[in-house]
Amino acid sequence: MSSDRQRQDLQDTFVEHRERLREAAKRIVGTRDLAEDVLQASYLRITETSAHVVVQQPLSYCYQVVRHLAIDHCRRRSLEAQFFVSEPEGQAVSAPSFSPEASAMGGQFLARIGETLERLPARTRQAFILYRLDGLTQRDIAERLGVSATLVNFMIKDAVDALKECRDGVET
Amino acid sequence: MSRSERNEALWNAAWEWVIREHEQVLDDAGRAELIAWLKADPAHRAHYEEAHRVWLGAALIPRPPS
């Protein structure tokens, strides 16, 4: 499928299921307004990504993006709240906020992460997906895959170590 | 320590924080430790944010067909 066609498909799917996607976001972030922010970021993210990675199941991908951006949204807000809570007055004002959102991530950056995961052995990738996308514990993953917890631990470590090399490089 | 060694060390530390946060919800002490680390140096925060971008990116890769 061409990336134009794929983008069109994803956007149509997103628009068609917008209400339910917003409900899914709202269950995580709590309010309709925040859910709306998450949806907007998700739409941008999906549009950008569609040019760089192959999406086989558009609707399930829309849910995946909404869910993970919603979780990240909560994480960022909670971190920000705690980060600034003990700042002396005035200082917090100029402090930059925590990373805008994933919609700022380049599609090529994501493609690189995707390639890194694809290079892993299939079972390692499967274990990692259960760990990262589904949030399963290593013990649950072992049970699901019918392998030892020790093996799962090694597989997750391999995947995490491989991903660690995907950084863009921070100039400080 | 050279600049690149320092960068490497900061990246390792940031990455460990991100994985630790995924593994468990930090308790108050852990949370305070993270915030203190982030506040100690803007470079810590830059690395932490970068580590989070990678970690979030991994969750945004389409699931392969099963």
Side-chain angles (χ1 to χ4, degrees):
Chain A
M1 197 192 305
S2 76
S3 63
D4 276 354
R5 169 82 192 287
Q6 173 171 287
R7 187 180 63 225
Q8 190 77 54
D9 261 17
L10 277 163
Q11 289 175 332
D12 290 351
T13 304
F14 191 96
V15 170
E16 189 186 334
H17 296 270
R18 205 172 196 290
E19 289 300 319
R20 287 173 57 204
L21 289 166
R22 187 170 53 219
E23 277 309 305
K26 188 168 167 245
R27 277 198 294 276
I28 297 170
V29 296
T31 72
R32 194 185 155 91
D33 278 359
L34 289 179
E36 194 53 46
D37 290 348
V38 168
L39 274 210
Q40 284 178 19
S42 301
Y43 188 79
L44 291 175
R45 175 72 272 146
I46 284 165
T47 300
E48 164 74 18
T49 305
S50 59
H52 299 273
V53 294
V54 176
V55 177
Q56 311 257 5
Q57 297 161 300
L59 182 57
S60 117
Y61 186 60
C62 289
Y63 274 106
Q64 178 186 330
V65 170
V66 166
R67 179 176 138 75
H68 283 280
L69 290 193
I71 293 170
D72 194 64
H73 199 84
C74 290
R75 177 197 69 83
R76 214 168 49 239
R77 283 172 59 89
S78 123
L79 195 61
E80 252 171 55
Q82 291 176 68
F83 193 83
F84 296 124
V85 76
S86 55
E87 284 303 300
E89 251 182 80
Q91 249 180 293
V93 179
S94 61
S97 119
F98 278 88
S99 60
E101 64 265 346
S103 53
M105 276 196 280
Q108 285 176 355
F109 172 68
L110 279 188
R112 187 144 46 91
I113 292 175
E115 284 157 16
T116 300
L117 294 177
E118 272 167 35
R119 277 197 296 271
L120 296 169
R123 195 170 56 172
T124 302
R125 188 166 58 242
Q126 198 184 355
F128 180 75
I129 286 168
L130 292 170
Y131 178 76
R132 180 66 188 103
L133 288 191
D134 302 314
L136 262 56
T137 64
Q138 297 197 10
R139 188 183 303 179
D140 289 343
I141 297 167
E143 207 164 294
R144 179 82 71 93
L145 300 182
V147 300
S148 73
T150 310
L151 179 57
V152 169
N153 191 261
F154 279 120
M155 292 193 293
I156 299 294
K157 188 177 180 328
D158 280 350
V160 165
D161 285 350
L163 264 183
K164 190 180 169 190
E165 303 306 316
C166 288
R167 69 164 156 162
D168 270 338
V170 182
E171 282 304 314
T172 50
Chain B
M1 202 190 278
S2 77
R3 197 182 148 94
S4 69
E5 278 169 350
R6 180 179 136 79
N7 255 320
E8 198 59 31
L10 290 186
W11 175 249
N12 288 339
W15 186 252
E16 270 173 34
W17 271 115
V18 168
I19 302 303
R20 198 171 142 190
E21 284 182 284
H22 178 85
E23 285 278 328
Q24 65 204 124
V25 176
L26 297 181
D27 59 15
D28 288 350
R31 205 86 196 142
E33 200 190 326
L34 171 59
I35 299 285
W37 186 77
L38 290 171
K39 281 185 175 179
D41 185 337
H44 291 184
R45 195 159 125 177
H47 281 86
Y48 176 80
E49 300 228 345
E50 172 67 7
H52 252 295
R53 256 196 304 281
V54 174
W55 193 240
L56 178 60
L60 300 178
I61 301 303
R63 202 182 278 272
S66 47

